């Protein structure tokens, strides 16, 4: 009976992980013998693709920066290849980075702080240029 409870607990945890889309986390051991748990299979990148970088604060900053650059028309849309400025989306992305700066004040290391400052400065200057109709040299 104790064995059934541990297997049931594993199955419940496994279903919950799959439902939430988690790719990591701790598993209590495999009840299936030699097979890998579904969460472990999801971590392996498809053949021919590079693995994703580690999830960290700097990666989040780069992601938001890239999205803002795309909204400013500096980066082409990955699906269509077109560059379409959307100043509302760009302003929202810049504002989100500003919120991150405010909420993380005093909790970042020097590199993270410098990166956030530089990204915000760069995006704010590009926003002014694009909204004024100027082209970047």
């Amino acid at each position: 009976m104790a064995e059934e409870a541990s297997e049931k607990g594993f199955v419940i945890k496994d279903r919950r992980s799959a439902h939430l889309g988690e790719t990591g986390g701790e598993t209590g051991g495999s009840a299936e013998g030699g097979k890998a748990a579904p969460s472990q299979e999801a971590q392996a990148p498809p053949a021919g693709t590079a693995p994703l970088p580690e999830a960290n604060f700097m990666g989040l900053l780069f992601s938001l920066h890239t999205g803002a650059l795309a909204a400013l028309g500096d980066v082409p849309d990955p699906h269509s290849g077109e560059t379409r400025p959307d100043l509302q989306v760009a302003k929202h992305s810049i504002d989100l980075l500003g919120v991150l700066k405010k909420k993380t004040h005093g909790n970042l290391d020097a590199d993270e702080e410098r990166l956030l400052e530089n990204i915000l400065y760069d995006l704010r200057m590009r926003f002014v240029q694009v909204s004024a109709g100027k082209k970047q040299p």
Side-chain angles (χ1 to χ4, degrees):
M1 186 162 202
E3 186 177 324
E4 289 177 18
S6 67
E7 286 181 23
K8 185 175 180 182
F10 178 78
V11 172
I12 291 171
K13 185 173 184 176
D14 189 39
R15 261 189 272 146
R16 184 179 57 194
S17 295
H19 173 70
L20 295 176
E22 295 176 1
T23 59
E26 56 276 350
T27 56
S30 179
E32 300 176 25
K35 292 184 180 178
S39 62
Q40 291 172 342
E41 291 172 5
Q43 290 178 353
T49 61
L52 293 174
E54 177 186 350
N56 58 28
F57 187 74
M58 289 180 135
L60 175 64
L61 294 179
F62 284 126
S63 178
L64 289 170
H65 183 232
T66 303
L69 287 174
L72 288 168
D74 289 351
V75 176
D77 182 278
H79 301 291
S80 66
E82 299 176 13
T83 55
R84 288 176 269 137
D86 187 340
L87 294 180
Q88 285 184 328
V89 172
K91 182 181 182 319
H92 185 260
S93 296
I94 294 167
D95 290 345
L96 281 174
L97 284 161
V99 168
L100 274 175
K101 180 182 176 193
K102 183 184 241 183
K103 292 293 186 176
T104 58
H105 180 72
N107 293 317
L108 301 177
D109 64 32
D111 290 337
E112 293 168 336
E113 185 76 33
R114 192 171 28 258
L115 178 63
L116 183 52
E117 290 282 337
N118 290 338
I119 285 174
L120 272 171
Y121 178 81
D122 174 59
L123 290 175
R124 287 173 175 156
M125 293 299 109
R126 286 294 301 135
F127 182 85
V128 170
Q129 289 174 343
V130 171
S131 62
K134 297 179 183 175
K135 295 285 184 183
Q136 183 178 9

